[in-house]
Amino acid sequence: MLITTLALAASADSPIREDAAQHLVEAWHRFEDDDYAGARQAARSALEIPGSHDQEAAYVMGRAWQMEGFSRDALLLYRDALARQPHGAFTDKLEFHIAETLHDTGESAEALRWLRQAKRGRELGLKDAAMFDLNEAMFVLGKGSTKRGTKKVLAALEETDHDIATWHQAKARTLLVTTWLDVADQLGTDDATLLERRAILIDGARKQLEKTIPTQQPDFTLDQILRIAQSYERLGDDVVTTFGNPADLPPDERKKVEAVWVKATRFYDIGIRHAARTSSDFDLETFESAHAVMVAKVDAL
């Protein structure tokens, strides 16, 4: 990416002032070091300088917002970058990331249209092909086609080498986890069959977490740990609600509730330790608070 910036800076057809080029080089350096606030600041400095680099500067700012999970902010900047130069050097990348952020903001059908537009007429390398395939599968799942989308996501993951497109792999597995556990949480506890289905879905989510951890994408890993812990907690809560309160639980049901609440406690504890290792203060506080509540629930049984 730095090569692109320097090449543009040296091009007679699209000259970039030296100070703007330096800001862009700094922006990409900071982006690659995961310093997204610094990347935005440097790119903003470049954008304030008139010139043909404006699309790239807005694009860097959008990427920095997207990587931090602020998809709406990223989408605004991607659209701005595209409007500045509809046929600029970063147009293909912008179309691809516009598709991603549209999906993240709940517009999966429109995201599919943008993704297919971005893919049209392009020869893709192995990594890019994997990212397109994973995104397409996620967008189908995001449209609400749970069974078809799940099959497409699992198939895309199966076809992707474990060491490429790891961010997209982690994102896809996280989408599976949240989708499955949303379904599990709504099944209720009316009979043993429903409880078994919930247990199967939670177990499936745990397996996705096990495959996500090696991708070394801590934000997605933390999202999954938290969601699994919440589903274990919710399962116990629902059983208690069926009987009114913990004091009214029959002995067998009390053991079931204790078992799932202990699992929830363990996952909150795993989240605390994982968040501490990744220096994620917000997630650490979230896990610590939930863990304290969960310990109190178990102690009150």
Side-chain angles (χ1 to χ4, degrees), residues 48 101 113 135 142 151 154 164 167 170 184 192 203 217 221 226 234 258 269 280 286-287 291:
E48 291 171 353
T101 48
R113 186 181 74 79
N135 270 331
K151 288 180 179 178
L154 288 173
I164 65 170
W167 189 87
D203 186 59
Q217 301 293 334
T221 298
L226 180 62
R234 175 72 176 273
E258 182 178 15
D269 182 60
S280 181
T286 299
F287 281 110
H291 182 268

Side-chain angles (χ1 to χ4, degrees), residues 5-179:
T5 301
L6 295 173
L8 287 173
S11 171
D13 295 330
S14 55
I16 299 178
R17 281 175 47 177
E18 183 178 354
D19 47 358
Q22 290 173 343
H23 287 312
L24 283 174
V25 169
E26 177 68 14
W28 283 118
H29 272 310
R30 290 183 177 274
F31 181 85
E32 290 163 1
D33 288 338
D34 298 335
D35 176 10
Y36 300 123
R40 285 192 296 272
Q41 183 178 355
R44 189 178 296 110
S45 296
L47 193 58
E48 291 171 353
I49 300 170
S52 59
H53 60 279
D54 59 348
Q55 186 193 65
E56 182 178 3
Y59 171 69
V60 181
M61 292 174 67
R63 290 291 291 129
W65 280 121
Q66 185 182 5
M67 292 303 294
E68 287 192 301
F70 295 95
S71 296
R72 294 189 184 280
D73 296 283
L75 180 58
L76 289 173
L77 280 157
Y78 290 151
R79 289 192 183 280
D80 175 57
L82 191 61
R84 289 172 183 273
Q85 295 188 49
H87 304 290
F90 290 83
T91 294
D92 287 347
K93 295 178 184 295
L94 285 164
E95 290 174 345
F96 177 82
H97 292 299
I98 285 172
E100 290 188 325
T101 48
L102 281 168
H103 164 72
D104 291 341
T105 55
E107 300 181 60
S108 295
E110 181 70 0
L112 273 170
R113 186 181 74 79
W114 275 90
L115 187 71
R116 288 163 182 165
Q117 177 177 315
K119 188 177 182 180
R120 192 175 300 125
R122 293 180 59 184
E123 293 186 11
L124 301 175
L126 193 61
K127 180 180 177 180
D128 285 343
M131 291 192 298
F132 270 95
D133 290 346
L134 287 165
N135 270 331
E136 183 175 4
M138 284 189 279
F139 297 174
V140 171
L141 181 55
K143 285 174 60 179
S145 307
T146 304
K147 289 185 178 179
R148 178 168 171 257
T150 291
K151 288 180 179 178
K152 284 185 71 69
V153 172
L154 288 173
L157 286 165
E158 181 66 26
E159 293 169 4
T160 302
D161 291 345
H162 71 279
D163 58 347
I164 65 170
T166 53
W167 189 87
H168 287 81
Q169 289 191 57
K171 183 178 182 180
R173 294 192 188 282
T174 303
L175 181 59
L176 288 176
V177 167
T178 56
T179 300

